[in-house]
Amino acid sequence: PPPPEPPPPPPPNVPPERLWRGSAALLNARFTGAQRRNASWQLENAGVVLTQFDGRFSSALPWSPCPKPLAREEVDRTWPSYCRDGESFQDRRISGSIIGLPMRRNHLPIPIFNLGAGVVLRPGGYTGVRCMYGVDGDIHTFRDACGDPCPGCDLHTKCLRSDEFARCVCGFGKCGGHVYPWGPGELDVVLRLHAKSWSFGYGGMGSFSGYNEAVLDPDLWIEHLPASIEAVFFVDPADPVCDIKQGKRQIGTCVESEAQARRIHGQMLQHYNLRRSDVRAPALVGLRPSNWDVPFRDA
């Protein structure tokens, strides 16, 4: 008999299903291998892309950005959901950060925004970066984030070649009153600048310093759920960063972070009818900011 026909190709613009599931080992490999190859347009070469829950997520699906208005469930149409009004749709910029071993600076921990839980986003077409700042870009205050590319940071244009910016590092300093973003095609540039000169300025949790800020694409994220989320993470309560923040003990915050991550991870598995062993299931991992060699552990 003739050989069976091969399976049909995946639909256009949909990444093929991965034959592995998220795990701490995979995240650690991506973390230590960050920026060894050009990261521009290739998030898998940039490092680990993560975001922490900040109240700007769906109430119905707390691991998801706000859906478009017609796709929202009833709980996201009423108070207290952040998604309840038109402004949330206009301001669907999701703040994230990219971490990797090149950011290592002596005794300082991995710079992250706070001790809260969050998600690690899967690269390879499941999510995207709209633009990138080398510092905290304050994207929910500066309404032009990732808007008109001029003014913006670009090696190939003359947008920022005036005297006004001569002594300002674009994407890192307030050039002309604002920190302007780099486009997604310049990820390699901004990440190398950040690792070389800016990550060492980390002042600890709540200092708004040391980390970079990536503006993530919510549409790709939502389109490919649950595959767009590689892992749900929490800051490991056993890590030393949980003991120190401006002289105050923060172990309670890390315990709450773990409880939140476990709750949301369980909700995800139930919502998508997944078991932890399924290849499409997100991992649950602890992040140890003080451990640059093996920062993630399976939980």
Side-chain angles (χ1 to χ4, degrees):
E5 295 184 2
N13 301 321
V14 176
E17 183 64 62
R18 297 296 178 99
L19 299 179
W20 43 261
R21 57 183 296 269
S23 69
L26 288 167
L27 298 180
N28 288 329
R30 193 177 310 136
F31 179 90
T32 56
Q35 300 171 42
R36 290 184 179 175
R37 289 185 247 174
N38 191 304
S40 295
W41 298 104
Q42 301 292 328
L43 281 181
E44 53 265 46
N45 296 332
V48 177
V49 183
L50 54 80
T51 184
Q52 293 172 282
F53 301 125
D54 62 358
R56 293 183 171 89
F57 286 75
S58 165
S59 295
L61 306 175
W63 53 86
S64 169
C66 290
K68 294 180 179 179
L70 292 179
R72 293 179 189 175
E73 297 185 25
E74 185 61 31
V75 69
D76 276 330
R77 299 177 186 271
T78 57
W79 190 88
S81 175
Y82 172 75
C83 303
R84 68 187 182 278
D85 55 32
E87 182 177 355
S88 66
F89 179 67
Q90 297 296 327
D91 187 23
R92 294 172 74 239
R93 292 165 293 186
I94 300 296
S95 173
S97 189
I98 300 177
I99 60 173
L101 187 60
M103 300 164 59
R104 187 172 193 166
R105 288 294 178 273
N106 297 326
H107 64 285
L108 296 174
I110 298 168
I112 54 176
F113 179 67
N114 59 34
L115 298 176
V119 295
V120 176
L121 296 171
R122 192 187 303 277
Y126 293 91
T127 190
V129 171
R130 288 183 168 177
C131 64
M132 184 82 187
Y133 297 82
V135 295
D136 189 313
D138 197 14
I139 66 170
H140 297 289
T141 300
F142 182 31
R143 291 291 183 178
D144 292 331
C146 297
D148 187 341
C150 188
C153 307
D154 189 340
L155 294 179
H156 308 293
T157 71
K158 297 181 180 179
C159 293
L160 299 179
R161 301 302 171 86
S162 65
D163 292 340
E164 180 181 9
F165 297 97
R167 295 180 179 84
C168 188
V169 181
C170 193
F172 294 84
K174 289 189 175 181
C175 307
H178 295 291
V179 182
Y180 290 101
W182 292 80
E186 307 286 5
L187 281 181
D188 189 61
V189 176
V190 68
L191 286 172
R192 290 184 185 280
L193 281 172
H194 175 263
K196 181 179 180 180
S197 302
W198 292 83
S199 58
F200 71 87
Y202 186 44
M205 302 293 172
S207 66
F208 301 99
S209 64
Y211 52 84
N212 53 60
E213 185 166 16
V215 181
L216 306 173
D217 186 332
D219 296 320
L220 271 178
W221 180 338
I222 292 171
E223 177 184 356
H224 296 304
L225 281 170
S228 50
I229 294 180
E230 189 167 6
V232 180
F233 79 90
F234 58 88
V235 180
D236 192 332
D239 192 88
V241 300
C242 292
D243 292 336
I244 301 172
K245 181 188 175 185
Q246 299 175 352
K248 299 179 181 179
R249 187 171 178 80
Q250 294 293 306
I251 188 70
T253 303
C254 290
V255 170
E256 293 163 7
S257 167
E258 180 175 1
Q260 182 186 24
R262 290 186 181 278
R263 182 178 68 254
I264 290 178
H265 183 258
Q267 290 172 338
M268 280 194 70
L269 296 182
Q270 183 177 20
H271 181 80
Y272 297 108
N273 194 27
L274 297 169
R275 294 171 297 180
R276 290 195 65 166
S277 58
D278 290 342
V279 294
R280 295 175 66 241
L284 178 66
V285 299
L287 171 61
R288 301 173 288 195
S290 300
N291 190 333
W292 285 90
D293 298 316
V294 190
F296 292 97
R297 68 167 179 85
D298 288 313

